[in-house]
Amino acid sequence: MKVIASLILAAFATVASAQERDWSSPQQPFTIYGNTHYVGTGGISAVLVTSPKGHILVDGTTAKGADVVAANIRTLGFKLKDVKYILSTHSHEDHAGGISALQKLTGATVLAGAANVETLRTGVSPRSDPQFGSLSNFAGSAKVRAVADGEVVKLGPLAVTAHSTPGHTEGGTTWTWQSCEAGKCRNVVFADSLTAVSADSYRFTDHPEVVAALRGSFEVVEKLSCDIAIAAHPEVNDMWGRQQRAAQEGNAAYVDNGACRAIAAAGRKRLETRLASEQR
């Protein structure tokens, strides 16, 4: 577990240095397991969960990435008009910048943690965000409403549960559901970012409520039933390595029931390292 967490922590460092053009780069879509499909960019995850009664999209990537997501949905043979919900993990441009355009293309209702709803509507982050002052604004979206912790979003046979995971943003949300294939069902987790990232002038030690929120979110994620973890930044859980392995292993390459614990452990280590550095 310690080795896996260290690898994930190294991936966090890679994410922090990534350029926006990488976050928006084209990426061919692929099926992760059953009705769970990767439709995001080369740098930001977005997932389509499908059913005969309509589909649910998790995250919208960047403003530029919205075109990639829309094209990927079509490439898989699905219609944009059948996307009924867009679920948001958190309201930063790299994950939510494309939601406005995708909402217009689909007519979907956008769902998010209550504290992030206003940001999704306006595209402007609040001063309480640790990254305030270093964040890009993005186009606000229509048809945004709040979900409560533990709320289940239902669409035909689909049931996706919201788990409040604040800290990176106030309304951060992790989403879970089951996908089945050949009679075998797996618990899928789309994990919100759990990273202690901030503007240069921000000190986490001055904001104990944010530290407490992050620590609570680590506990939430590590306790989830988690067979397949999809991180908001795909590198965090080695999505591309798993995709390469899937050529030989099939979708078993994506199954890792320790992945959520490792993601939480890496987030916890990063936070504690940051807090220690602020005491120097």
Side-chain angles (χ1 to χ4, degrees):
M1 178 63 69
K2 289 183 178 179
V3 173
I4 295 173
S6 295
L7 291 172
I8 289 176
L9 192 63
F12 281 150
T14 301
V15 168
S17 64
Q19 298 296 313
E20 193 275 337
R21 65 178 177 273
D22 297 321
W23 287 345
S24 303
S25 63
Q27 165 64 44
Q28 288 296 309
F30 56 94
T31 298
I32 296 173
Y33 191 88
N35 62 340
T36 295
H37 313 278
Y38 188 93
V39 294
T41 65
I44 301 292
S45 297
V47 164
L48 188 72
V49 188
T50 60
S51 85
K53 299 295 184 180
H55 318 313
I56 295 175
L57 176 66
V58 187
D59 271 354
T61 76
T62 65
K64 293 179 182 178
D67 289 339
V68 176
V69 175
N72 283 346
I73 292 172
R74 294 188 182 104
T75 296
L76 290 173
F78 301 110
K79 296 178 180 178
L80 292 173
K81 69 177 183 178
D82 291 334
V83 177
K84 303 303 181 184
Y85 291 108
I86 300 174
L87 313 183
S88 173
T89 54
H90 68 270
S91 52
H92 287 162
E93 195 278 336
D94 48 338
H95 305 276
I99 287 179
S100 176
L102 289 163
Q103 191 284 324
K104 290 175 182 176
L105 287 169
T106 62
T109 298
V110 179
L111 304 179
N116 284 357
V117 166
E118 186 62 19
T119 300
L120 288 171
R121 287 173 175 165
T122 64
V124 180
S125 294
R127 289 185 175 274
S128 58
D129 192 305
Q131 295 183 65
F132 181 80
S134 63
L135 296 166
S136 300
N137 293 342
F138 54 91
S141 181
K143 293 181 69 175
V144 183
R145 76 164 177 85
V147 290
D149 183 31
E151 182 173 339
V152 180
V153 180
K154 294 183 178 181
L155 178 64
L158 303 181
V160 182
T161 302
H163 304 267
S164 180
T165 47
H168 190 74
T169 63
E170 287 185 84
T173 305
T174 289
W175 302 91
T176 65
W177 62 93
Q178 281 199 331
S179 281
C180 303
E181 185 173 296
K184 177 69 174 180
C185 295
R186 301 287 189 179
N187 295 305
V188 184
V189 176
F190 193 114
D192 185 26
S193 294
L194 301 178
T195 48
V197 181
S198 73
D200 291 343
S201 61
Y202 188 94
R203 289 171 54 85
F204 283 92
T205 47
D206 294 335
H207 299 274
E209 75 287 355
V210 175
V211 173
L214 280 165
R215 287 174 172 161
S217 293
F218 303 150
E219 291 185 9
V220 168
V221 171
E222 67 190 359
K223 292 177 180 178
L224 291 172
S225 296
C226 179
D227 299 315
I228 297 172
I230 303 162
H233 287 269
E235 295 89 350
V236 168
N237 193 37
D238 192 29
M239 178 62 79
W240 309 131
R242 294 177 189 277
Q243 185 190 26
Q244 290 179 349
R245 285 166 42 204
Q248 283 74 43
E249 300 175 25
N251 55 27
Y254 302 107
V255 178
D256 179 357
N257 60 20
C260 284
R261 293 192 298 274
I263 290 171
R268 183 180 287 113
K269 183 176 180 180
R270 179 173 181 145
L271 174 63
E272 298 307 322
T273 299
R274 173 62 183 269
L275 292 173
S277 73
E278 291 180 1
Q279 299 300 322
R280 294 174 190 151

